[in-house]
Amino acid sequence: MARPLLQVALDNFSLSEALESTLLLAPELDVIEAGTLLCLATGADSIKALRTLYPNNTIVADLKIVDAGGELAGMACDKGADWVTVMCSAANATKVNAMKAATERGGEMQVELFGNWTLEEAAEWRKLGLKQVIYHQSRDALNAGGSWGESNLNMVKNLIDLGFEVSVTGGLTVENISLFKGLPVKCFIAGRSLRNAKDPAAEARKWKMEIAKYWQE
Ligand code: 5RP
């Protein structure tokens, strides 16, 4: 089973702040995400900056697209994104158009699973050719007292059984990794717990050691 990748979410309000994080973290990372907050605050050129500075990392544009899937996914990939996110609540036509635009440019589209969605809908998306999903506990839900546990794990297993490559995110800390042991998780995505750590590089190494403990290649 492939070892899960480590992804940082750059949810900063300025590119310079985001780059302060990547300067420390990049050598430890597989995937670098231009977070929704960064993209909204600074525009899509932050994707281009990350592509230029980190040619060997996978770059994600977390645009959380809900409409104009082809145009927005195409724009993100033209700026250098390898993967681009679309909300699960978007129309299937938006998802398919985003997937096509990304694929034509050598990229991939990821469906962000937030709020209301069902496994029946997810099975439908598989039939449409969608490959990657992000199982996401929202920041707002976690702030309201949510946590990671068995029910989340079961949903992740169900998605894997449907044939998806599944990444997980939302307030994750290094302590949450063991919950997923034995599952082919695509990426662990962490924002605040990596960026705000006292020593971000040391924290990322801790994540990698914890991942290596449960997923031997
Ligand atoms: C918010 C996001 C975040 O990028 C993702 O949840 C990771 O951030 P954190 O680890 O800080 O929760 O997509 O919508």
Side-chain angles (χ1 to χ4, degrees):
M1 187 185 298
R3 189 171 282 172
L5 304 172
L6 181 59
Q7 172 173 336
V8 71
L10 298 169
D11 284 310
N12 302 96
F13 286 111
S14 75
L15 183 59
S16 59
E17 239 182 62
L19 295 183
E20 275 173 36
S21 290
T22 52
L23 196 62
L24 301 169
L25 284 164
E28 313 299 338
L29 299 171
D30 304 295
V31 184
I32 300 176
E33 170 194 318
T36 317
L37 275 63
L38 182 68
C39 291
L40 284 174
T42 69
D45 281 341
S46 54
I47 303 165
K48 196 172 176 181
L50 292 170
R51 171 81 292 152
T52 306
L53 289 169
Y54 301 105
N56 300 321
N57 290 88
T58 298
I59 302 293
V60 179
D62 188 15
L63 293 181
K64 294 188 171 65
I65 294 168
V66 290
D67 195 10
E71 290 84 346
L72 288 172
M75 180 274 294
C77 292
D78 289 341
K79 296 277 180 192
D82 298 292
W83 302 343
V84 57
T85 64
V86 173
M87 288 301 296
C88 61
S89 51
N92 280 349
T94 302
K95 296 188 187 80
V96 169
N97 289 343
M99 175 178 67
K100 279 191 188 149
T103 308
E104 278 166 15
R105 291 161 174 84
E108 290 186 24
M109 184 274 260
Q110 302 175 291
V111 181
E112 280 258 2
L113 302 175
F114 250 130
N116 298 323
W117 57 275
T118 64
L119 285 170
E120 288 71 28
E121 286 169 326
E124 204 54 44
W125 304 333
R126 271 303 290 150
K127 287 192 201 141
L128 295 172
L130 276 53
K131 205 170 114 185
Q132 287 204 53
V133 293
I134 303 174
Y135 183 83
H136 200 143
Q137 290 221 66
S138 88
R139 185 183 282 229
D140 296 330
L142 287 165
N143 285 344
S147 62
W148 284 96
E150 281 301 314
S151 61
N152 308 117
L153 192 62
N154 287 334
M155 288 309 273
V156 171
K157 280 183 190 157
N158 288 328
L159 290 162
I160 290 169
D161 289 344
L162 286 175
F164 284 108
E165 295 178 4
V166 185
S167 296
V168 292
T169 192
L172 284 177
T173 66
V174 72
E175 284 77 30
N176 297 126
I177 290 175
S178 61
L179 179 67
F180 300 94
K181 67 183 171 217
L183 288 184
V185 170
K186 173 93 172 170
C187 270
F188 286 110
I189 307 169
R192 289 160 291 175
S193 64
L194 282 178
R195 294 193 323 271
N196 300 343
K198 206 165 160 202
D199 181 342
E203 185 65 18
R205 284 193 288 276
K206 233 193 264 176
W207 278 70
K208 283 168 71 181
M209 277 191 301
E210 188 73 357
I211 292 171
K213 195 155 103 189
Y214 298 109
W215 287 266
Q216 287 90 27
E217 278 181 325

